Amino acid sequence: MNSLQYWLGGSSDNLENFLLMISKAYVPALADMKMEIAEPVTFPDLGIWHPTAPTMYTDLKEYLNWYDTRKDMKFAKDAPVIGVVLQRSHLVTGDDGHYAGMVMELEARGAKVVPVFAGGLDFSVPVEQYFFDPITKNAYVDTVLSLTGFALVGGPARQDHPKAIDSLKKLNVPYMVTVPLSFQTTEEWQDSTLGLHPVQVALQVALPELDGGLEPIIFSGRDSKTGKSHTLQDRASQIAGRAIKWASLRKKKNVDKKLAITVFSFPPDKGNVGTAAYLNVFGSIFRVLQGLKKDGYDIGDCPENEGDLINSVLNDKEAKFASPDLNIEHRMDMKEYEKLCIYQESLHENWGPPPGNLNSDGKNLLVYGKKFGNIFIGVQPTFGYEGDPMRLLFSKSASPHHGFAAYYTYIEKVFGADAVLHFGTHGSLEFMPGKQVGMSGVCYPDLLIGNTPNIYYYAANNPSEATIAKRRSYANTISYLTPPAENAGLYKGLKELKELIASYQGLKDSGRGPSIVNSIITTAMTCNLDKDIPEIPTDGNTDAKDMDMDLRNLIVGKTYQKLMEIESRLLPCGLHVVGCPPSAEEAVATLVNIAGIDREDEEITALPQLLAQSIGMDIETIYRANDAGDLEQVQRLQDITEASRIMVGQYVSTVSDPSGRLAASAIGAFGSMFGGASVALPWGDALKGTQFSEIDVVASRKLFDYLGFCLTQIVTDNELGALTEALNGEYVLPGPGGDPIRNPKVLPTGKNIHALDPQAIPTSAALASAKVVVDRLIERQRLENDGVYPESIALVLWGTDNIKTYGESLAQVMLMVGVKPMPDALGRVNKLELISLEELGRPRIDVVVNCSGVFRDLFVNQMNLLDRAVKLAAEQDEPLEMNFVRKHALLQAEELGLSLREAATRIFSNASGSYSSNVNLAVENSSWNDESQLQEMYLNRKSFAFNSDSPGSGMETKTDIFKSALQTVDLTFQNLDSSEISLTDVSHYFDSDPTKLVQSVRKDGKMPASFIADTTTANAQVRSLSETVRLDSRTKLLNPKWYEGMLASGYEGTREIQKRLNNTLGWSATSGQVDNWVYEDANDVYMKDPEMQKRLMETNPNSFRKMVANFLEANGRGYWETSEENIENLRQLYMEVEDKIEGVK
């Protein structure tokens, strides 16, 4: 037993005595030697430790008796109490210097501490035992600060997140998880652009985030000589300051709390203040202010409505960001700035001495915004280099200008904010330069945010960038819902086409059949559908009566299939207002799409499959025939779609009150409402008398029970509630971000968004989905290229997409090169298995992978896996015509004088701490001269390579290999995985598109093919880029349902319309895949209609002016050919709107 006690004691004395004891017992030569062997010194497995305490305590009362009678420290009566979580192993081995340093720092700042420890890996036990007041049973501590770097329950291998969340919710205080350096010395971390080692990011940042952990700041390092831990003083100071500020939110009365609400203006043009993805920012702020007022906050003379709020913040709601039209809340003179902003000298190298010419009047730095009592609504300055093409071209990363620094200096040190609320997706703070994760005291996000708690409203569908905000700006990210989705529907000629097809189906065997087909062909050409349907004759001389029935049916079937693709496409309508969940009726389209996906984990069969099975068919067979244009099966799929909508619609109306809201009595009753022996069906009489009346009732009930759960989640609102919790210094429940259709667990919103365990992807389900897409992509290109396989594919990996799909596009890359990712015994995907050429059935396709900066930050271990996969393929001794990876790598090795492994470098991104190619900024600001300048930006900023042979070294410049690899690219490829974000919704997609760049570097100057995979529905599609742009334009920019929904949101909706037009222009610039008719039809909709002009002018004149400028630019750059009359009309419009903005009558 003594042996065990020595071992469990773990201290150096115990281990010394342990060795002496076993030596005496088992080494014959030492048996008679006299030895002084002390008894084991035992330490409690669970307890409270303090560096100056005489002993370890196992009772909170005993600890407090000692603590409160200390002579060396005196604390204020209302001093914040920080609960600190430690690892027992460090305490018993005497390696506790870093813990002592952190405790001393907290106490030096006036905080009391309760440092607890556990011997195992379940830290929820000491949390529950020692962090509650033994008398009141309420939380005794005001903030929990974990110094373990691990999840609360479990180590690196396995965790119990539900148990951790349950413990933390009971305690209900902010939960910070800091990180000790384990795989790097202090010097290695300081010198690294990457920051924290990738293994630690996966284990000690990503996993604690699943518990709701905040602020992964490094607090300790390791001595390179002794290996002992030591506190990093400046980091400990930052952590202590922030922990105490979170704690103070629990102590301070609401009437005294100061909140800085920060809105964004991007791009920095007139009409863009209050930019955020799918969010009505000022409408949301108005609701937040009303909620704060009810909670006792001082909101001063806050305006009574949203419109007055916009005007009071901006003076002129179409204010140009850099103009005096914006309200100036504070003028910071140079003496104040230089005194308060301790890091301002480091900005001189990029921006010169202050004040500079950004956010400046030449003498002072200007803080734009407006104060209402204790609430400041401020406008975050922009990066500052958007209008400068040379700075865009050559900067590896941005750096904050003096105006940006002055803004955050004002918030913390002049206004004295208790918290800052960043409003909407997303700003610039978290993308400022510095280490990727585990920042130092000279990284700009760390310097800018200072000690101010950061609360951040972030779109639920964007967990990747939300995670960047968590890790780099220390944000407590609160999710908000995107607007309710609707089917795009049909309009104008498209609607007419559907009616013609219905007529044809009734009369196709009569003499009128051919003439109806002629009308279908003519109308389809008028709608420009001939670009998508090659079967449509375009010579103008073809008569349908000369066709056989099969060809007529094929043309009509293909046209019908394309119409249904447009009609059923989901699009978010309008803009979301925080705290306004959709009604049950508004959720119908979302529920139909949730019902459209098989969910193996829940053993739920998708509704389209259940309907197909009821008529003796399989949905996959119907999908394939529909895609081929089989008229009978196109109609069958449309019948299934209509039946799904009617069933779900009937169900929702049953559980809704007359206003369309979910009936109060229905909440929580879904499980039993229609279950058991009940005769009533959830979908009522929706299928009565139809071909689907024999549907499997048991399986369908199970599906509708699940839809009931989803409906309660959709209409539940905690967006304002979560903000209240954060401002009260409470624990905000964590939850995954992503697509609510794929993963309804994203709902309800109002959760502290996290991503996922990065070691868990790609999953086996993602691998299966990826294979479908890769097979269809390669086969389509082969068929369109005379049977020749593509040799190399350039593709983009996005952080959010891989979180939503659990690694589908990651798996696609591996399957292209013929390698399969494999999990280890613990389910961590870190192994590779080569797929034989026999099993693959085709050559290994080479790849050039460009990872977004966000993907690079979140998935460093997966980049490692990808690089290993490509190099594994390159090293196979196989025929070159069957292994294009090896073929190209051998050529590059010879040309560039490299080893084969180095020549097989294919995984690229930005430099560490840098994001985007800046092509989007140049396009948005029209600050580029020609396309070669955009291509040079892309090459300069995206040619940093990852090397699995030195994974901790960060990204290295490899421009020559990048260009060389692009020279062999035959097609470019991206994925669309969510109905909420498509090609023209955001600028990221064209910003990362290398299509024209590939053409410019290829020796033959050939334009590569461009494809987009669309996995937004169960029937995955691979379309050309031009097809996808046309589909996007028809369903959004040109669709009355979409633009009327946007115009209903006023000022911000008009800006959203302009943004889609600008992004369309971006696609012309990077790919040349935008048809002339898209601009022509958009001009007809927005510029030729006097009533539309008036609406756009009245809601947001500056966004309207930008739209006019976009059309003129598209024409000037050769992307749109149109009549001189149209151009003259646009020039005249531009002058008129300019006069209105300038106040000329």
Side-chain angles (χ1 to χ4, degrees):
M1 281 304 291
N2 263 8
S3 299
L4 182 60
Q5 292 305 316
Y6 282 128
W7 183 253
L8 291 175
S11 68
S12 54
D13 287 343
N14 272 333
L15 294 176
E16 180 183 326
N17 286 305
F18 174 47
L19 290 171
L20 288 172
M21 186 194 76
I22 60 173
S23 299
K24 187 170 176 63
Y26 297 105
V27 179
L30 302 178
D32 298 327
M33 184 179 287
K34 275 194 170 184
M35 295 184 191
E36 286 189 20
I37 303 173
E39 286 296 305
V41 179
T42 58
F43 299 91
D45 195 52
L46 202 72
I48 307 173
W49 168 91
H50 191 282
T52 64
T55 185
M56 292 178 174
Y57 297 92
T58 55
D59 181 86
L60 180 60
K61 287 181 190 171
E62 287 180 18
Y63 172 75
L64 294 178
N65 285 340
W66 166 78
Y67 198 82
D68 292 339
T69 57
R70 288 171 65 189
K71 300 283 191 290
D72 58 329
M73 294 290 290
K74 292 292 178 198
F75 297 98
K77 191 176 178 183
D78 63 345
V81 181
I82 311 299
V84 185
V85 183
L86 315 172
Q87 277 185 285
R88 178 180 178 274
S89 58
H90 281 280
L91 303 177
V92 300
T93 58
D95 184 19
D96 56 14
H98 56 325
Y99 289 167
M102 193 70 242
V103 168
M104 302 294 191
E105 182 66 36
L106 287 162
E107 290 184 335
R109 288 170 169 262
K112 293 181 176 182
V113 291
V114 182
V116 302
F117 63 86
L121 289 169
D122 186 350
F123 299 104
S124 70
V125 179
V127 163
E128 295 200 17
Q129 194 158 328
Y130 302 123
F131 286 170
F132 287 90
D133 189 307
I135 298 167
T136 67
K137 308 302 182 190
N138 296 325
Y140 181 75
V141 300
D142 297 305
T143 299
V144 172
L145 175 61
S146 172
L147 305 184
T148 67
F150 289 120
L152 191 70
V153 182
R158 296 201 188 281
Q159 304 82 38
D160 188 342
H161 299 295
K163 183 178 181 183
I165 291 166
D166 187 52
S167 288
L168 292 165
K169 187 60 191 167
K170 276 190 274 186
L171 189 63
N172 201 24
V173 302
Y175 175 53
M176 295 170 63
V177 183
T178 59
V179 187
L181 289 177
S182 300
F183 292 87
Q184 299 150 288
T185 64
T186 305
E187 294 75 21
E188 286 170 339
W189 165 72
Q190 285 171 334
D191 294 341
S192 166
T193 57
L194 199 63
L196 192 62
H197 192 283
V199 173
Q200 273 199 271
V201 174
L203 298 179
Q204 294 187 289
V205 176
L207 295 180
E209 284 172 348
L210 305 183
D211 294 341
L214 303 172
E215 314 210 2
I217 305 171
I218 291 169
F219 81 95
S220 71
R222 282 191 175 278
D223 188 279
S224 54
K225 293 187 177 67
T226 66
K228 287 275 191 182
S229 303
H230 57 250
T231 309
L232 299 173
Q233 184 51 45
D234 80 303
R235 301 292 74 210
S237 175
Q238 176 75 319
I239 292 163
R242 295 188 62 77
I244 290 167
K245 284 284 284 216
W246 277 113
S248 71
L249 290 172
R250 298 178 67 78
K251 301 283 187 184
K252 216 170 194 179
K253 291 179 180 174
N254 285 352
V255 72
D256 297 322
K257 287 179 189 171
K258 292 186 172 184
L259 176 65
I261 297 175
T262 295
V263 301
F264 313 121
S265 175
F266 190 82
D269 190 10
K270 296 183 180 181
N272 280 333
V273 173
T275 312
Y278 281 122
L279 187 66
N280 182 331
V281 172
F282 283 105
S284 299
I285 290 175
F286 184 73
R287 281 186 67 88
V288 165
L289 290 174
Q290 298 309 304
L292 293 175
K293 185 177 181 180
K294 282 182 192 168
D295 290 341
Y297 285 77
D298 175 5
I299 67 166
D301 54 348
C302 177
E304 294 296 313
N305 60 65
E306 176 190 335
D308 288 346
L309 179 67
I310 293 174
N311 282 322
S312 62
V313 173
L314 306 183
N315 274 348
D316 169 5
K317 69 177 179 181
E318 295 87 37
K320 180 174 177 181
F321 184 82
S323 79
D325 293 338
L326 274 168
N327 191 69
I328 298 167
E329 181 55 45
H330 184 73
R331 288 176 169 82
M332 187 176 287
D333 64 36
M334 292 310 91
K335 188 176 177 183
E336 182 183 32
Y337 175 62
E338 288 166 1
K339 178 186 173 186
L340 297 179
C341 185
I342 57 173
Y343 55 89
Q344 57 87 20
E345 285 188 10
S346 67
L347 311 182
H348 291 203
E349 183 182 348
N350 276 332
W351 301 100
N357 56 11
L358 295 165
N359 291 70
S360 162
D361 61 6
K363 293 179 182 176
N364 306 288
L365 287 162
L366 307 179
V367 177
Y368 293 119
K370 178 82 172 173
K371 260 199 309 196
F372 302 101
N374 283 336
I375 311 298
F376 167 60
I377 302 175
V379 183
Q380 184 189 72
T382 61
F383 272 112
Y385 60 92
E386 294 85 353
D388 182 346
M390 287 302 101
R391 201 183 271 269
L392 277 175
L393 182 56
F394 293 113
S395 65
K396 286 182 185 176
S397 61
S399 64
H401 53 81
H402 293 292
F404 205 102
Y407 179 81
Y408 282 95
T409 301
Y410 168 79
I411 284 176
E412 182 176 15
K413 296 180 178 174
V414 179
F415 175 64
D418 292 291
V420 59
L421 171 61
H422 287 96
F423 220 100
T425 306
H426 58 75
S428 307
L429 169 65
E430 59 269 32
F431 295 101
M432 286 295 171
K435 299 180 190 301
Q436 283 177 207
V437 185
M439 289 182 294
S440 71
V442 295
C443 294
Y444 286 113
D446 185 275
L447 287 166
L448 289 158
I449 196 63
N451 282 167
T452 311
N454 182 9
I455 303 163
Y456 208 142
Y457 269 131
Y458 227 93
N461 66 355
N462 193 347
S464 63
E465 288 180 318
T467 302
I468 300 300
K470 288 170 86 74
R471 295 177 184 177
R472 302 189 87 243
S473 68
Y474 312 142
N476 187 343
T477 48
I478 296 174
S479 61
Y480 65 81
L481 201 58
T482 47
E486 293 184 32
N487 296 110
L490 300 173
Y491 53 92
K492 298 180 183 173
L494 299 174
K495 204 170 186 180
E496 185 185 333
L497 258 180
K498 188 178 180 185
E499 291 164 1
L500 285 168
I501 289 168
S503 299
Y504 174 75
Q505 287 179 297
L507 300 168
K508 64 181 176 181
D509 296 321
S510 72
R512 290 190 57 197
S515 66
I516 297 173
V517 172
N518 285 334
S519 297
I520 288 171
I521 290 170
T522 303
T523 309
M525 288 177 68
T526 304
C527 295
N528 297 291
L529 285 175
D530 53 304
K531 313 285 191 304
D532 299 288
I533 307 167
E535 290 80 5
I536 291 178
T538 56
D539 57 10
N541 301 318
T542 306
D543 193 323
K545 71 173 186 286
D546 299 328
M547 302 175 187
D548 60 26
M549 178 68 85
D550 286 347
L551 181 55
R552 288 201 293 266
N553 281 349
L554 179 63
I555 289 171
V556 175
K558 283 274 192 177
T559 306
Y560 194 14
Q561 184 264 332
K562 184 56 65 176
L563 280 182
M564 292 305 96
E565 184 177 74
I566 295 166
E567 189 274 340
S568 62
R569 194 144 179 96
L570 272 194
L571 47 98
C573 285
L575 297 171
H576 178 65
V577 175
V578 165
C580 287
S583 67
E585 283 188 357
E586 288 170 330
V588 168
T590 299
L591 286 174
V592 169
N593 279 267
I594 289 173
I597 300 173
D598 280 323
R599 300 180 191 275
E600 292 179 15
D601 291 349
E602 283 92 1
E603 297 180 342
I604 289 170
T605 304
L607 188 53
Q609 177 71 308
L610 291 170
L611 290 165
Q613 288 171 350
S614 74
I615 54 172
M617 296 195 72
D618 180 79
I619 193 65
E620 281 299 320
T621 305
I622 296 172
Y623 283 152
R624 298 289 70 77
N626 168 80
D627 295 347
D630 180 327
L631 181 57
E632 183 182 352
Q633 298 305 332
V634 174
Q635 183 59 56
R636 183 158 284 140
L637 183 57
Q638 178 59 11
D639 292 344
I640 286 172
T641 302
E642 282 302 317
S644 299
R645 291 174 185 169
I646 293 167
M647 288 174 77
V648 174
Q650 180 70 47
Y651 172 61
V652 169
S653 67
T654 303
V655 297
S656 301
D657 63 24
S659 71
R661 295 273 160 196
L662 192 60
S665 59
I667 298 284
F670 286 108
S672 57
M673 185 176 286
F674 303 105
S678 168
V679 177
L681 296 170
W683 52 91
D685 294 333
L687 299 183
K688 195 171 183 180
T690 73
Q691 59 185 312
F692 306 114
S693 58
E694 297 302 312
I695 195 168
D696 182 335
V697 172
V698 174
S700 300
R701 280 189 193 280
K702 187 169 186 178
L703 168 63
F704 274 80
D705 281 347
Y706 181 73
L707 292 182
F709 161 75
C710 294
L711 182 56
T712 58
Q713 301 298 92
I714 292 169
V715 302
T716 299
D717 169 46
N718 192 41
E719 292 172 358
L720 291 174
L723 174 62
T724 300
E725 288 164 3
L727 289 173
N728 287 344
E730 296 172 2
Y731 174 72
V732 178
L733 275 175
D739 179 2
I741 290 171
R742 283 178 183 263
N743 181 15
K745 289 175 185 170
V746 167
L747 304 168
T749 46
K751 291 177 182 169
N752 175 5
I753 309 175
H754 59 69
L756 42 69
D757 179 355
Q759 299 179 104
I761 65 169
T763 61
S764 56
L767 195 63
S769 300
K771 187 177 186 307
V772 171
V773 169
V774 169
D775 289 349
R776 289 180 188 174
L777 171 69
I778 293 172
E779 186 59 18
R780 173 159 180 181
Q781 170 65 358
R782 195 175 71 83
L783 290 174
E784 292 182 7
N785 197 32
D786 300 324
V788 178
Y789 282 104
E791 291 201 6
S792 185
I793 299 175
L795 68 164
V796 183
L797 292 184
W798 299 102
T800 286
D801 294 13
N802 279 284
I803 293 170
K804 289 177 183 173
T805 64
Y806 297 92
E808 279 182 22
S809 55
L810 187 64
Q812 290 166 4
V813 177
M814 297 194 199
L815 292 173
M816 287 172 186
V817 301
V819 174
K820 189 185 293 182
M822 301 293 289
D824 64 12
L826 295 172
R828 297 174 300 196
V829 183
N830 53 22
K831 300 194 296 184
L832 296 169
E833 183 181 282
L834 194 76
I835 302 170
S836 69
L837 288 174
E838 290 74 22
E839 184 185 345
L840 201 58
R842 58 164 172 81
R844 300 188 194 281
I845 310 294
D846 199 1
V847 292
V848 183
V849 182
N850 216 293
C851 304
S852 73
V854 174
F855 182 95
R856 172 207 63 209
D857 285 4
L858 300 188
F859 297 114
V860 177
N861 294 309
Q862 275 62 32
M863 290 174 75
N864 190 345
L865 206 62
L866 287 171
D867 189 60
R868 285 167 48 205
V870 174
K871 287 171 178 171
L872 177 65
E875 289 174 335
Q876 300 309 303
D877 188 7
E878 296 169 338
L880 298 186
E881 69 274 9
M882 293 301 290
N883 187 335
F884 299 137
V885 188
R886 183 174 179 80
K887 174 184 174 182
H888 298 153
L890 287 170
L891 285 171
Q892 286 175 287
E894 189 177 338
E895 281 177 18
L896 302 173
L898 305 170
S899 68
L900 178 68
R901 280 185 74 79
E902 198 175 355
T905 297
R906 295 290 185 272
I907 314 302
F908 298 91
S909 185
N910 294 77
S912 301
S914 167
Y915 303 84
S916 114
S917 71
N918 281 351
V919 167
N920 58 341
L921 298 181
V923 169
E924 282 160 352
N925 292 281
S926 303
S927 58
W928 54 288
N929 301 323
D930 55 44
E931 289 173 1
S932 65
Q933 198 175 52
L934 299 181
Q935 291 156 19
E936 193 64 26
M937 280 180 198
Y938 193 104
L939 274 175
N940 276 349
R941 288 179 59 84
K942 302 295 281 186
S943 58
F944 292 80
F946 182 86
N947 184 1
S948 58
D949 296 331
S950 56
S953 61
M955 310 300 294
E956 302 169 359
T957 310
K958 298 284 182 184
T959 309
D960 289 346
I961 298 179
F962 187 45
K963 282 181 81 168
S964 176
L966 288 172
Q967 286 173 358
T968 61
V969 166
D970 295 312
L971 70 89
T972 61
F973 175 65
Q974 293 199 55
N975 284 278
L976 288 178
D977 62 87
S978 170
S979 58
E980 296 166 319
I981 301 174
S982 192
L983 284 189
T984 60
D985 290 326
V986 292
S987 60
H988 303 59
Y989 288 117
F990 77 76
D991 178 72
S992 289
D993 173 55
T995 305
K996 283 188 177 177
L997 169 60
V998 169
Q999 182 187 25
S1000 74
V1001 298
R1002 277 187 66 112
K1003 289 172 182 172
D1004 59 6
K1006 180 184 171 188
M1007 176 77 86
S1010 296
F1011 290 101
I1012 304 289
D1014 180 346
T1015 57
T1016 58
T1017 66
N1019 185 17
Q1021 300 288 318
V1022 173
R1023 303 187 185 94
S1024 71
L1025 174 56
S1026 57
E1027 284 171 347
T1028 311
V1029 171
R1030 288 193 288 271
L1031 178 60
D1032 220 34
S1033 300
R1034 288 182 176 119
T1035 52
K1036 288 186 177 159
L1037 189 64
L1038 305 175
N1039 184 357
K1041 182 185 267 193
W1042 180 82
Y1043 60 69
E1044 289 296 342
M1046 285 300 165
L1047 285 168
S1049 295
Y1051 165 76
E1052 282 142 326
T1054 300
R1055 183 179 59 229
E1056 289 292 322
I1057 296 169
Q1058 184 273 318
K1059 191 167 84 173
R1060 298 312 183 290
L1061 180 62
N1062 194 87
N1063 292 341
T1064 303
L1065 180 64
W1067 279 110
S1068 290
T1070 63
S1071 73
Q1073 300 293 307
V1074 183
D1075 294 329
N1076 200 73
W1077 68 264
V1078 171
Y1079 291 110
E1080 195 70 28
D1081 284 13
N1083 182 67
D1084 289 347
V1085 169
Y1086 297 106
M1087 300 292 131
K1088 279 190 159 181
D1089 179 354
E1091 186 56 37
M1092 177 62 80
Q1093 288 176 22
K1094 183 181 173 189
R1095 293 168 73 189
L1096 295 168
M1097 184 93 86
E1098 287 176 352
T1099 50
N1100 194 330
N1102 287 288
S1103 284
F1104 181 45
R1105 175 173 62 178
K1106 180 66 174 167
M1107 284 183 76
V1108 179
N1110 282 152
F1111 280 112
L1112 290 168
E1113 185 178 355
N1115 174 256
R1117 293 190 188 277
Y1119 303 144
W1120 173 39
E1121 291 181 17
T1122 190
S1123 66
E1124 188 54 42
E1125 180 187 348
N1126 277 342
I1127 298 303
E1128 189 51 45
N1129 177 49
L1130 288 166
R1131 289 183 186 128
Q1132 188 63 39
L1133 264 180
Y1134 191 87
M1135 286 190 285
E1136 286 174 17
V1137 71
E1138 185 92 334
D1139 286 348
K1140 169 160 183 175
I1141 291 168
E1142 300 301 329
V1144 178
K1145 302 213 173 163

